[in-house]
């Protein structure tokens, strides 16, 4: 049938309506499951040898600092008589007598310090404290920073303007000066607080440690807040946010459910890179004598204590020093790996 | 441009005021007073001393008086080091910190920039991996670790360098090494990534296509553009290192401003605490503002907000 060239009739081809052949059906089969955000990121992360090595190192350090001390025969505050300043794998006279009597004595792997405390367990406890400080401080920063940044970006306008000016001011305040001052100023009020019933835990944790957390909570969230703000500013124009708003979802829920979940990549990376910098600051403060309270060791205070005896017992200094560098290095490398895996745009 | 500069300066002034206010009230939260530790002193004498320095007045009045005086450039007398004004002490201690800090910033620039460039130019080769590994490790080592390791090997074991004080050029070697370690590593990383960025730009290819020699493209086109991010980093860095690192000054017993600040807090020397804090904060904040403004003038591609 010949068709009029200027007809608007559809040009239908009867062949298009035949059942599909087997060959054509093949192309519709889903060969592989669709790759989700997590799977895609994990696949890239697992391929990254450097990042995997640093995860292994971090896990080993965590096992030694959180699990091994529970089984360890010595305690970090147990001062053994006559066992002062033993070298690695040495025994005190009393212990040698016990060995001679057929008893089994666990060796002091790293020796003992000048108070006769086993150094291996002190190093383990020290890295536990350093890791805890890093993780908790980062948690605080994550919560404050992401809440602040997303609120500023979401509401925009003058709210954003005022909130970001505050961030600018905190950002330029010289942090070290304020940290030193704050940790001095908070010592007394916290000392009084631990005598108030219900707040006795303050004494256990140590006033200095709490003031470190306060300092982090006050000063260090600004970087995180800026990061989250820039992400949310971009995301809040997306269609799904408009859709959620059209459906009558409240502001708080949009921020929590849609905006923050969608910048999870940035959050993970920034958080991981924040951990080493928190550990860094804690060790610095402990080194200056403003860190954890006395019987508790931290890697910084261990290194600081060992400086005086450096000539005779250099290993007391080098063990915590090397360990802290190793921990910071592993977290840094892991953060880089996570960034490449989950947030490739952030690179460079 | 003018509007931007005015805005930045306004913000800087507010920040300095905020730092001064926070410091003032925090400092007064620290228990104990400047005259408590001197045992032989009678209550009457303490009261007389406090009256002399105006410490018996209400806190708010003290604060207003202090801010008023500070605006006129008067930072008061030191409460502990009798007969010396705060300005005298700062002007005596600051050059010491500034010299050590200035040299170490120079050293880190002189090492960091060339090595970062080399790493970028030899991308993927052995030299690049080596430099990257060194830089990554470098930013993971806290300064007190560097200090103590240096002290142990160069100072105590080999006895090559003196460990205490600051009298000859030899005394500078270790503090400068310790202070410049982290910035060097950081500048290397920064320089490498910005150089890689620049090397991939179109104008680099154009220059090559025009037959410009490799030397000229490197120094005239690549380096000048790649060094910009380093400038933003160097400003605050200079301020921080020049004002003295607490750790390095403590370990090498350098009579600088950092150590003075710690001992001022320990001794509750209120006026000295205020003076050093305002001085250091102003230096850091001014440095930041200057760098931001210079950065925008040097690179017209950056839009003024």
């Amino acid at each position: 049938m010949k068709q009029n060239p200027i007809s608007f009739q559809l040009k239908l081809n009867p062949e298009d309506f035949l059942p599909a052949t087997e060959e054509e059906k093949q192309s519709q089969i889903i060969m592989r499951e669709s790759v989700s955000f997590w799977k895609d990121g994990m696949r890239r992360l697992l391929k990254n040898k450097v990042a995997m090595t640093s995860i292994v190192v971090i896990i080993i350090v965590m096992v030694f600092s959180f699990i091994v001390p529970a089984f360890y025969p010595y305690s970090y505050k147990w001062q053994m008589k006559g066992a002062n300043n033993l070298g690695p794998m040495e025994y005190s006279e009393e212990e040698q007598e016990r060995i001679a009597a057929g008893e089994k004595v666990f060796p002091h792997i790293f020796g003992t310090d000048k108070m006769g405390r086993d150094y291996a367990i002190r190093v383990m406890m020290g890295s536990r404290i350093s890791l805890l400080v890093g993780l908790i401080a980062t948690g605080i920063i994550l919560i404050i920073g992401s809440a602040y940044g997303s609120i500023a970006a979401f509401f925009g306008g003058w709210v954003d303007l005022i909130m970001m000016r505050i961030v600018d001011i905190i950002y330029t305040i010289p942090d070290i000066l304020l940290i030193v001052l704050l940790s001095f100023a908070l010592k007394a009020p916290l000392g009084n607080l631990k005598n108030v019933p219900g707040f006795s835990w303050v004494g256990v944790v140590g006033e200095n440690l709490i003031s470190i957390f306060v300092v982090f909570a006050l000063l260090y969230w600004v970087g995180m807040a800026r990061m989250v703000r820039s992400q949310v500013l971009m995301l809040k124009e997306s269609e799904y946010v408009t859709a959620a708003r059209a459906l009558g979802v409240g502001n708080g829920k949009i921020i929590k459910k849609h905006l923050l979940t969608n910048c999870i990549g940035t959050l993970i990376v920034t958080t991981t890179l924040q951990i080493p910098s928190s550990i860094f600051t804690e060790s610095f403060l402990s080194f200056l004598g403003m860190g954890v309270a006395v019987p508790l060791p931290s890697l910084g205070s261990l290194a600081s204590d060992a400086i005086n005896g450096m000539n005779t017992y250099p290993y007391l200094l080098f063990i915590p020093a090397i360990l802290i560098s190793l921990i910071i290095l592993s977290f840094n490398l892991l953060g880089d790996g996570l960034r490449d895996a989950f947030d490739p745009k952030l690179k460079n | 441009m003018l509007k931007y500069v005015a805005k930045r300066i306004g913000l800087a002034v507010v920040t300095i005021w905020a730092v001064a206010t926070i410091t003032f009230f925090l400092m007064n939260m620290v228990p104990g007073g400047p005259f408590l530790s001197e045992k032989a002193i009678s209550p009457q004498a303490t009261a007389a001393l406090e009256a002399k320095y105006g410490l018996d007045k209400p806190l708010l009045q003290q604060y207003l008086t202090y801010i008023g005086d500070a605006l006129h450039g008067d930072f008061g007398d030191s409460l502990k080091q009798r007969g010396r004004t705060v300005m005298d002490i700062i002007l005596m201690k600051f050059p010491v910190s500034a010299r050590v800090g200035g040299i170490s910033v120079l050293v880190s620039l002189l090492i960091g920039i060339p090595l970062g460039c080399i790493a970028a130019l030899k991308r993927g080769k052995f030299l690049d991996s080596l430099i990257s590994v060194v830089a990554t490790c470098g930013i993971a080592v806290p300064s007190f670790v560097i200090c103590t390791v240096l002290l142990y090997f160069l100072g105590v074991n080999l006895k090559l360098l003196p460990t205490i004080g600051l009298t000859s050029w030899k005394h500078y070697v270790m503090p400068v090494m310790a202070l410049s370690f982290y910035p060097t590593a950081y500048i290397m990383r920064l320089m490498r990534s910005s150089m890689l960025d620049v090397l991939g730009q179109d104008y680099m290819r154009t220059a090559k296509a025009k037959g410009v020699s490799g030397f000229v493209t490197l120094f005239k086109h690549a380096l000048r553009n790649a060094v910009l991010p380093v400038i933003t980093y160097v400003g605050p860095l200079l301020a921080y290192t020049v004002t003295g690192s607490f750790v390095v000054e403590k370990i090498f017993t350098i009579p600088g401003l950092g150590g003075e600040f710690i001992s001022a807090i320990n001794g509750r020397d209120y006026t000295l605490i205020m003076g050093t804090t305002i001085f250091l904060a102003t230096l850091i904040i001014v440095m930041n503002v200057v760098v931001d403004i210079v950065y925008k003038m040097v690179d017209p591609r950056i839009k003024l907000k």
Side-chain angles (χ1 to χ4, degrees):
Chain A
M1 186 179 70
K2 205 176 174 241
Q3 203 182 23
N4 188 339
I6 53 166
S7 154
F8 284 112
Q9 260 184 332
L10 271 175
K11 287 172 194 156
L12 291 176
N13 190 351
E15 278 172 24
D16 288 346
F17 295 91
L18 291 175
T21 62
E22 279 306 306
E23 204 177 303
E24 280 167 335
K25 276 182 190 166
Q26 284 288 322
S27 71
Q28 295 293 311
I29 294 172
I30 299 167
M31 304 282 282
R32 219 177 278 162
E33 259 181 84
S34 66
V35 185
S36 70
F37 172 76
W38 290 109
K39 270 195 191 145
D40 192 34
M42 283 311 285
R43 200 190 58 204
R44 262 178 288 188
L45 187 66
L46 287 173
K47 268 193 205 156
N48 190 337
K49 277 181 204 143
V50 179
M52 291 319 285
T53 319
S54 30
I55 288 185
V56 171
V57 171
I58 291 169
I59 290 175
I60 292 174
V61 171
M62 282 194 169
V63 166
F64 270 99
S65 51
F66 289 101
I67 300 174
V68 174
F71 307 108
Y72 211 70
Y74 301 105
S75 143
Y76 70 92
K77 49 184 174 186
W78 184 22
Q79 304 182 8
M80 285 164 283
K81 265 191 191 153
N84 307 0
N85 289 328
L86 292 178
M89 305 307 278
E90 282 177 7
Y91 295 97
S92 69
E93 281 176 24
E94 188 211 330
E95 281 165 345
Q96 277 166 351
E97 279 169 27
R98 274 162 57 201
I99 294 172
E103 226 178 307
K104 267 203 172 161
V105 173
F106 196 81
H108 303 292
I109 297 168
F110 293 151
T112 55
D113 65 3
K114 62 170 183 278
M115 316 267 273
R117 294 174 292 203
D118 185 76
Y119 205 60
I121 185 77
R122 282 188 72 74
V123 169
M124 282 188 238
M125 285 304 288
S127 44
R128 177 193 286 192
I129 299 290
S130 295
L131 282 173
L132 273 181
V133 169
L135 294 173
I136 295 175
T138 308
I140 297 173
I141 291 168
L142 176 66
I143 293 168
I144 299 180
S146 55
Y148 195 95
S150 53
I151 288 172
F154 186 75
F155 291 105
W158 61 270
V159 178
D160 184 34
L161 194 77
I162 293 175
M163 285 177 92
M164 288 334 273
R165 282 301 84 77
I166 295 173
V167 164
D168 283 347
I169 289 176
I170 295 180
Y171 209 73
T172 34
I173 286 178
D175 47 353
I176 300 296
L177 291 180
L178 271 200
I179 289 179
V180 173
L181 213 62
L182 258 180
S183 36
F184 269 100
L186 286 175
K187 217 180 260 177
L190 285 173
N192 294 334
L193 189 66
K194 77 177 167 195
N195 299 326
V196 176
F199 285 99
S200 52
W201 53 270
V202 173
V204 181
V205 185
E207 296 117 51
N208 284 3
L209 209 53
I210 293 180
S211 59
I212 291 179
F213 290 142
V214 173
V215 169
F216 276 107
L218 284 177
L219 291 180
Y220 279 76
W221 51 270
V222 285
M224 183 74 87
R226 279 186 166 178
M227 206 75 165
V228 172
R229 177 179 169 268
S230 65
Q231 286 278 308
V232 170
L233 271 184
M234 223 157 48
L235 291 172
K236 76 168 183 178
E237 307 296 336
S238 328
E239 283 83 1
Y240 55 80
V241 176
T242 320
R245 214 180 268 157
L247 287 168
V249 182
N251 287 339
K253 204 168 179 196
I254 293 182
I255 290 180
K256 259 190 290 177
K257 200 134 195 208
H258 296 288
L259 295 175
L260 282 181
T261 31
N262 273 296
C263 44
I264 195 89
T266 318
L267 286 182
I268 293 175
V269 174
T270 325
T271 309
T272 318
L273 289 173
Q274 181 63 51
I275 295 173
S277 95
S278 305
I279 295 178
F280 209 99
T281 313
E282 186 276 331
S283 70
F284 162 83
L285 283 176
S286 294
F287 189 81
L288 284 179
M290 281 173 280
V292 292
V294 176
L296 272 181
S298 101
L299 291 177
S301 66
L302 285 175
S304 169
D305 291 344
I307 278 205
N308 292 331
M310 193 168 62
N311 302 351
T312 20
Y313 312 106
Y315 53 90
L316 291 186
L317 175 63
F318 291 140
I319 294 167
I322 290 170
L323 197 59
I324 198 146
S325 310
L326 189 70
I327 292 175
I328 295 174
L329 180 68
S330 319
F331 272 109
N332 270 336
L333 291 174
L334 176 63
D336 286 348
L338 284 172
R339 185 191 54 202
D340 295 346
F342 286 103
D343 211 349
K345 272 178 295 176
L346 260 181
K347 204 172 183 185
N348 289 336
Chain B
M1 185 73 204
L2 258 177
K3 204 177 152 200
Y4 174 78
V5 173
K7 200 178 118 192
R8 285 308 310 257
I9 291 175
L11 200 63
V13 171
V14 173
T15 313
I16 293 169
W17 167 77
V19 171
T21 309
I22 295 171
T23 315
F24 188 88
F25 290 105
L26 265 184
M27 173 180 89
N28 279 291
M29 268 173 71
V30 182
F35 310 116
L36 275 185
S37 53
E38 293 165 46
K39 289 163 204 148
I41 227 163
S42 69
Q44 290 88 353
T46 313
L49 273 172
E50 283 186 347
K52 185 188 166 200
Y53 290 106
L55 295 178
D56 52 344
K57 301 204 178 73
L59 203 56
L60 201 64
Q61 199 185 335
Q62 284 184 41
Y63 169 71
L64 292 176
T65 323
Y66 185 83
I67 294 288
D69 286 347
L71 283 177
H72 290 99
D74 175 17
F75 290 96
D77 299 329
S78 165
L79 299 182
K80 283 277 169 158
Q81 306 176 30
R82 302 275 158 71
R84 293 165 75 188
T85 66
V86 170
M87 252 316 158
D88 283 344
I89 296 174
I90 291 176
L91 289 180
M92 195 181 74
K93 299 283 184 178
F94 176 63
V96 179
S97 302
R99 219 173 299 136
V100 180
I103 296 173
S104 33
V105 170
L106 214 62
V107 167
S108 45
L109 282 176
L110 286 177
I111 299 175
I113 292 181
L115 284 185
C117 285
I118 291 171
L121 292 173
K122 305 263 172 198
R123 186 185 191 177
K125 303 264 175 59
F126 171 73
L127 209 55
D128 177 27
S129 322
L130 184 74
I131 290 175
S132 296
V133 166
V134 170
T136 313
C137 294
I139 60 167
V141 185
S143 60
F144 67 83
V145 173
I146 308 279
C147 288
T148 46
V149 168
L150 284 176
L151 204 60
Y152 180 71
F153 285 110
L154 298 180
V156 177
N157 243 11
L158 302 173
K159 297 205 188 323
L160 279 179
L161 296 163
T163 55
I164 286 175
L166 206 60
T167 41
S168 73
W169 66 269
K170 275 186 176 173
H171 288 88
Y172 281 90
V173 177
M174 279 200 284
V176 165
M177 274 169 89
L179 267 179
S180 56
F181 198 81
Y182 180 90
T184 309
Y186 196 88
I187 291 174
M188 280 199 292
R189 275 166 69 112
L190 207 61
M191 197 61 208
R192 178 177 178 271
S193 71
S194 85
M195 194 70 176
L196 280 179
D197 197 35
V198 169
L199 288 177
Q201 296 286 332
D202 288 341
Y203 55 76
M204 289 303 292
R205 204 177 323 130
T206 312
K208 211 177 195 178
K210 274 164 56 185
V212 182
S213 76
F215 189 79
V216 175
T217 41
L218 181 63
F219 281 90
K220 205 169 166 197
H221 295 80
L223 201 62
R224 271 166 68 177
N225 283 300
V227 90
L228 284 174
V230 178
I231 295 179
T232 34
Y233 175 64
V234 165
L237 169 75
L238 192 64
Y240 272 106
T241 32
V242 157
T243 51
S245 150
F246 297 108
V247 168
V248 174
E249 288 191 3
K250 185 190 169 192
I251 293 178
F252 295 111
T253 35
I254 296 168
L257 212 50
E260 196 62 38
F261 182 69
I262 302 263
S263 65
I265 292 185
N266 277 324
R268 317 275 183 275
D269 192 341
Y270 291 147
T271 45
L272 190 55
I273 298 177
M274 285 303 287
T276 26
T277 312
I278 294 179
F279 180 77
L280 297 184
T282 310
L283 202 69
I284 292 172
I285 291 163
V286 166
M287 223 53 172
N288 267 318
V289 173
V290 168
V291 161
D292 273 9
I293 294 171
V294 165
Y295 192 52
K296 295 211 162 138
M297 286 200 306
V298 171
D299 192 352
R301 283 171 304 181
I302 294 165
K303 260 197 247 154
L304 293 177
K305 267 190 269 176

